[in-house]
Amino acid sequence: QVQLVESGGGSVQAGGSLRLSCAASGRLFSSYDMGWFRQAPGKEREFVADIMRSSGRTSYADAVKGRFTISRDNAKNTVYLQMNSLKPEDTAVYYCAARVFTVDYNYWGQGTQVTVSS
């Protein structure tokens, strides 16, 4: 069982920055692919970014490319999402997810609210 705990959400004005953190339990964190997703009110959850376990290869949704950066620290069992140049449309609950020996993400955090005001 993998537990994920997000932190770092909050309220910020447009153009500001936030850094989200996600701490994972377990001794095999370096074996997990990690991702960030978000869900805005009235919308479906959508992919934001992910980082692969071995290569560290990253990928991003077009809407955040060039503004958000995903990274991981395997020694701290933590994945980060640095969010710059935030826009009101980035307002959502952000979820951390882990993909552990499966095709789909199978572990999820409880989410952290990000609110961007114009």
Side-chain angles (χ1 to χ4, degrees):
Q1 193 75 6
V2 176
Q3 292 184 326
L4 303 172
V5 179
E6 302 100 334
S7 61
S11 297
V12 65
Q13 289 192 327
S17 298
L18 284 173
R19 189 176 81 153
L20 306 183
S21 300
C22 172
S25 65
R27 295 180 296 170
L28 299 177
F29 177 76
S30 61
S31 300
Y32 310 157
D33 295 330
M34 299 298 298
W36 286 97
F37 294 76
R38 67 187 183 185
Q39 186 168 20
K43 295 187 177 181
E44 293 187 352
R45 186 166 59 193
E46 64 177 5
F47 168 79
V48 175
D50 64 11
I51 184 166
M52 297 299 103
R53 60 190 180 276
S54 55
S55 66
R57 179 180 60 84
T58 59
S59 60
Y60 298 91
D62 287 344
V64 308
K65 204 171 293 183
R67 300 187 297 121
F68 290 10
T69 302
I70 188 172
S71 61
R72 65 191 298 161
D73 185 338
N74 289 339
K76 295 183 178 180
N77 277 23
T78 301
V79 63
Y80 304 97
L81 185 68
Q82 178 66 44
M83 305 185 295
N84 298 330
S85 302
L86 282 161
K87 304 175 181 180
E89 51 264 42
D90 295 319
T91 295
V93 177
Y94 284 71
Y95 296 92
C96 172
R99 184 163 60 201
V100 183
F101 309 124
T102 67
V103 175
D104 297 319
Y105 283 90
N106 51 341
Y107 292 98
W108 295 83
Q110 82 287 352
T112 186
Q113 177 70 46
V114 171
T115 302
V116 185
S117 59
S118 57

